[in-house]
Amino acid sequence: TMPLDSYPDRIAANGIIPEDDNDVGDVAMGMTLTFKNNTNTSSKKTSSASNNANSIPGDKSIASGVCGYLAESSEITTYASRGGRITVAAPAHCPTSATIVRKSGGRGNGASSETTLSGGSRGIPPDNSSNVATVEFPLPTSTSEIEESGGMKMPNSMGFIYEAEAVRRLVVAGRISFPQWTPEESIGCIQIIEEMLRQIKA
């Protein structure tokens, strides 16, 4: 919901969920969400979403995806728009890079060369530069304390250091929530998951 700044007005999901809730190895699901553009509907979030038959298709965005443990997918996330696309490299749940492609007009005219940049969103090139840029987020270096306690077990888990440092800055500043990830965003994501599970189990 964060990239579209709204809660989906329609949720459709299907998949496989084992009867044993502890058997996550057999979970697989696909979902499609539609969003009404330029409308922040966080105050209207409900556990089920309805489709507005009178809406204009051009006023909407769509998100679709597949996740699960039955097989290892490419784990790549792509955001596409009329102006270009952003591809978050695998593994998309803990990436270290993303590629921004500006569309230069005409079908298929997106890239001519590639520029590697650093610094998060500030790495997006200006209009007079290459149509393609790669933004990199290097993983922190492990510490002796981390290694002595058993080290990291999952891919790219060193990235949690960024999260821990963000929490430290938040506490020092006397704040209780992140502006980048609000409690409303968390609740909205949980509501979407609950609605998908409801549909799959129905």
Side-chain angles (χ1 to χ4, degrees):
T1 61
M2 181 181 292
L4 299 171
D5 193 29
S6 66
Y7 186 80
D9 64 338
R10 187 164 186 249
I11 300 171
N14 204 342
I16 302 169
I17 297 180
E19 294 183 3
D20 183 0
D21 290 339
N22 294 319
D23 188 11
V24 297
D26 289 335
V27 172
M29 63 177 67
M31 73 291 293
T32 299
L33 316 176
T34 57
F35 298 80
K36 194 168 185 178
N37 292 342
N38 302 320
T39 304
N40 192 329
T41 57
S42 59
S43 61
K44 301 179 181 179
K45 293 175 181 176
T46 58
S47 61
S48 63
S50 60
N51 182 33
N52 182 358
N54 297 320
S55 62
I56 302 172
D59 287 344
K60 288 196 172 186
S61 297
I62 188 169
S64 61
V66 177
C67 62
Y69 295 96
L70 291 176
E72 185 171 328
S73 69
S74 60
E75 288 198 64
I76 295 174
T77 299
T78 299
Y79 300 92
S81 70
R82 291 183 178 92
R85 63 186 180 272
I86 300 173
T87 301
V88 181
H93 68 287
C94 53
T96 59
S97 67
T99 300
I100 301 101
V101 178
R102 281 195 175 91
K103 188 168 173 54
S104 57
R107 185 71 176 173
N109 293 329
S112 56
S113 61
E114 184 168 325
T115 304
T116 300
L117 302 167
S118 303
S121 60
R122 295 179 182 176
I124 298 175
D127 293 339
N128 60 357
S129 70
S130 169
N131 285 342
V132 181
T134 298
V135 183
E136 297 181 346
F137 306 89
L139 291 173
T141 303
S142 184
T143 65
S144 58
E145 291 81 4
I146 292 175
E147 295 303 320
E148 290 170 3
S149 65
M152 297 291 186
K153 304 300 181 183
M154 301 301 291
N156 293 2
S157 291
M158 286 304 299
F160 281 120
I161 290 180
Y162 291 132
E163 186 172 326
E165 175 59 19
V167 172
R168 185 195 67 81
R169 292 196 304 267
L170 193 79
V171 172
V172 170
R175 305 184 65 171
I176 60 173
S177 65
F178 290 100
Q180 297 90 346
W181 187 270
T182 64
E184 291 78 15
E185 181 75 22
S186 296
I187 293 171
C189 288
I190 293 171
Q191 289 177 331
I192 292 172
I193 293 171
E194 288 180 340
E195 172 59 16
M196 291 192 299
L197 292 175
R198 184 194 68 78
Q199 293 182 21
I200 294 171
K201 291 179 178 180

